[in-house]
């Protein structure tokens, strides 16, 4: 009883909100950029911390299951880039529509998918968010059009820039620049690495993608721009992935282990948020450790579920291809036909 009372008293002494100075965004075709003095409440900070830790632990568990050959096929992990998804979601609504590429696990979670559904999808089980048929790159929620297995297929980008600008569409284009296209650094691949200017006739922002507050404020600025009828805007989030491009890429043949470690030690998005909260008396080390323990348990439970849930039966193979009408026969057959040799 005494411990509980002490804990409650300690929590009551925390600062409920604080103001932070954040890095100024670079701007293109804009008179001003996002705010550099921002307010974060204690509740917001705790929510961001829990969400980013859940993403991080989920991806580390996926790494482990992949190496055990429980997860198969392509698998692209998001650890290191958590501030991007969490900052974006903090400034848009779940009723807004979101499309991403193949590094989709984090967004599936922020869009409303559960850890169990995501892990079960990775292991190809019946309770997965796409019924075990999609795997790492093909996860979907309401207003979330999933990952996409083809590089660049989430938008024929320059044609899309043009149409969005012509029609003044309320559209935020986001480049999560993690510094490498597969195994090629941006400096080796692009004559101009100012991706936020690539819209040419579309305003742009270049943002510190390792700081959840920078991403949140930039997204709020971009969303206000779009909702006020000014047309599309482009954001480049400068971030970093700790893993290789996919699980088949060890990630150290084109960059050094020292480079990865330096980013982890100086720019990690979770550590940055944690340090801010602790130094401003918005949380205690013990409280954040409690969150860590709860997150680890959630991930372990989801992992256990994802390795024991049944695989979808073979007769499910062709379901969920057509919305409601029965399929047309093509050359005398359909997906449900039982074929046999007549030779």
């Amino acid at each position: 009883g005494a411990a509980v009372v002490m804990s409650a008293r300690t929590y009551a002494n925390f600062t409920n909100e604080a103001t932070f100075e954040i890095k100024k965004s670079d701007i293109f075709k804009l008179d001003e950029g996002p705010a550099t003095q921002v307010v974060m409440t204690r509740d917001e900070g705790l929510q961001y911390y829990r969400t980013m830790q859940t993403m991080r632990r989920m991806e580390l568990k996926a790494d482990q299951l992949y190496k055990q050959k429980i997860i198969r096929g392509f698998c692209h992990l998001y650890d290191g880039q958590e501030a991007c998804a969490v900052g974006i979601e903090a400034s848009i609504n779940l009723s807004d529509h979101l499309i991403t590429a193949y590094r989709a696990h984090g967004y599936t979670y922020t869009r409303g998918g559960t850890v169990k559904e995501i892990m079960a999808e990775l292991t190809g089980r019946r309770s997965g968010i796409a019924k075990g048929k999609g795997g790492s790159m093909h996860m979907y929620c309401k207003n979330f059009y999933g990952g996409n297995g083809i590089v660049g297929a989430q938008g024929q980008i320059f044609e899309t820039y043009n149409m969005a600008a012509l029609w003044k569409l309320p559209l935020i284009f986001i480049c999560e620049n993690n510094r490498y296209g597969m195994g090629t650094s941006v400096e080796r691949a692009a004559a101009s690495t100012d991706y936020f200017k690539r819209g040419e006739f579309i305003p742009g922002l270049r943002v510190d993608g390792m700081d959840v507050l920078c991403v949140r404020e930039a997204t709020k600025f971009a969303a206000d721009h779009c909702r006020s009828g000014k047309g599309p805007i482009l954001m480049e989030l400068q971030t970093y992935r700790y893993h290789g491009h996919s699980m088949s890429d060890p990630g150290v043949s084109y960059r050094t282990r020292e480079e990865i470690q330096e980013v982890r030690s100086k720019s990690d998005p979770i550590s940055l948020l944690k340090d801010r909260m602790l130094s401003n008396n918005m949380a205690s080390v013990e409280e954040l450790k409690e969150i860590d323990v709860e997150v680890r348990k959630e991930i372990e439970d989801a992992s256990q579920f994802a390795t024991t849930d049944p695989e979808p039966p073979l007769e499910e193979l062709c379901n969920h291809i057509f919305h409601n009408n029965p399929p047309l026969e093509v050359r005398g057959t359909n997906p449900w036909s039982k074929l046999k040799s007549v030779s």
Side-chain angles (χ1 to χ4, degrees):
V4 174
V5 172
M6 185 185 297
S7 177
R9 189 187 306 126
T10 305
Y11 287 2
N13 292 333
F14 286 135
T15 304
N16 283 324
E17 68 174 42
T19 302
F20 300 94
E21 191 76 30
I22 60 172
K23 186 177 176 182
K24 185 178 181 181
S25 298
D26 297 320
I27 60 176
F28 175 67
K29 288 191 177 294
L30 291 164
D31 295 328
E32 59 181 1
T36 55
Q37 275 204 334
V38 301
V39 173
M40 180 179 73
T41 67
R42 168 177 146 81
D43 287 345
E44 287 170 343
L46 291 173
Q47 179 193 343
Y48 302 158
Y49 182 83
R50 181 181 291 272
T51 305
M52 288 200 288
Q53 275 289 30
T54 302
M55 286 184 187
R56 177 72 55 87
R57 290 290 157 194
M58 183 170 67
E59 297 297 62
L60 294 178
K61 178 56 71 172
D63 171 274
Q64 181 184 337
L65 294 176
Y66 196 94
K67 288 170 180 171
Q68 294 171 355
K69 298 187 178 179
I70 295 170
I71 295 174
R72 304 272 187 155
F74 293 101
C75 186
H76 305 81
L77 302 182
Y78 198 63
D79 50 319
Q81 299 182 213
E82 296 91 350
C84 297
V86 175
I88 289 165
E89 292 283 18
S91 289
I92 62 173
N93 309 314
L94 285 175
S95 56
D96 293 321
H97 299 258
L98 192 147
I99 306 170
T100 191
Y102 39 77
R103 209 173 300 280
H105 310 161
Y107 286 104
T108 307
Y109 180 67
T110 60
R111 287 272 103 185
T114 66
V115 176
K116 274 188 175 181
E117 289 173 326
I118 295 166
M119 296 301 293
E121 189 58 43
L122 287 169
T123 57
R125 305 305 171 110
R126 191 165 59 188
S127 299
I129 201 159
K131 311 293 185 188
K133 300 178 185 180
S136 174
M137 296 186 289
H138 307 287
M139 300 186 183
Y140 310 91
C141 300
K142 185 175 175 59
N143 299 328
F144 173 57
Y145 304 101
N148 198 305
I150 307 300
V151 177
Q154 67 270 27
Q156 301 301 323
I157 199 68
F158 292 103
E159 294 92 331
T160 310
Y161 284 162
N162 184 57
M163 292 175 74
L166 281 173
W167 296 344
K168 286 193 174 295
L169 298 180
L171 182 57
I172 305 173
F173 294 99
I174 298 173
C175 167
E176 286 189 49
N177 178 6
N178 60 24
R179 292 169 45 178
Y180 295 92
M182 300 185 75
T184 307
S185 68
V186 293
E187 291 81 12
R188 290 179 58 212
S192 169
T193 58
D194 291 337
Y195 295 105
F196 71 114
K197 297 179 180 178
R198 291 283 188 95
E200 190 179 351
F201 30 75
I202 294 175
L205 298 167
R206 181 162 57 194
V207 182
D208 181 356
M210 302 299 273
D211 183 345
V212 68
L213 294 184
C214 284
V215 179
R216 185 189 74 175
E217 291 308 306
T219 306
K220 181 179 184 298
F221 179 92
D224 289 345
H225 176 97
C226 290
R227 296 189 205 282
S228 64
K230 295 178 182 176
I233 191 167
L234 169 59
M235 290 203 308
E236 176 188 345
L237 308 181
Q238 294 187 306
T239 185
Y240 197 82
R241 56 169 162 79
Y242 294 154
H243 271 84
H245 168 71
S246 70
M247 283 301 296
S248 60
D249 167 23
V252 291
S253 59
Y254 49 86
R255 59 182 183 175
T256 63
R257 294 183 190 277
E258 289 75 22
E259 177 187 301
I260 301 167
Q261 188 54 44
E262 184 178 14
V263 175
R264 280 184 182 275
S265 62
K266 294 182 179 178
S267 307
D268 183 76
I270 298 175
S271 298
L272 176 61
L273 176 63
K274 180 180 179 179
D275 291 346
R276 274 183 176 146
M277 295 191 73
L278 293 176
S279 61
N280 285 272
N281 192 38
M282 300 181 84
S284 67
V285 172
E286 293 75 22
E287 184 180 16
L288 296 181
K289 278 185 180 175
E290 284 175 22
I291 292 174
D292 295 345
V293 170
E294 291 167 9
V295 167
R296 284 174 187 266
K297 184 179 186 308
E298 182 183 11
I299 301 301
E300 286 302 324
D301 291 346
S303 173
Q304 182 66 25
F305 175 78
T307 53
T308 55
D309 191 51
E311 294 181 355
L314 190 59
E315 55 267 23
E316 283 280 312
L317 182 64
C318 294
N319 289 349
H320 306 111
I321 295 174
F322 300 91
H323 171 52
N324 51 18
N325 295 322
L328 296 172
E329 290 211 344
V330 177
R331 299 191 180 103
T333 188
N334 68 58
W336 288 270
S337 300
K338 290 192 180 299
L339 304 177
K340 62 180 181 179
S341 173
V342 293
S343 58

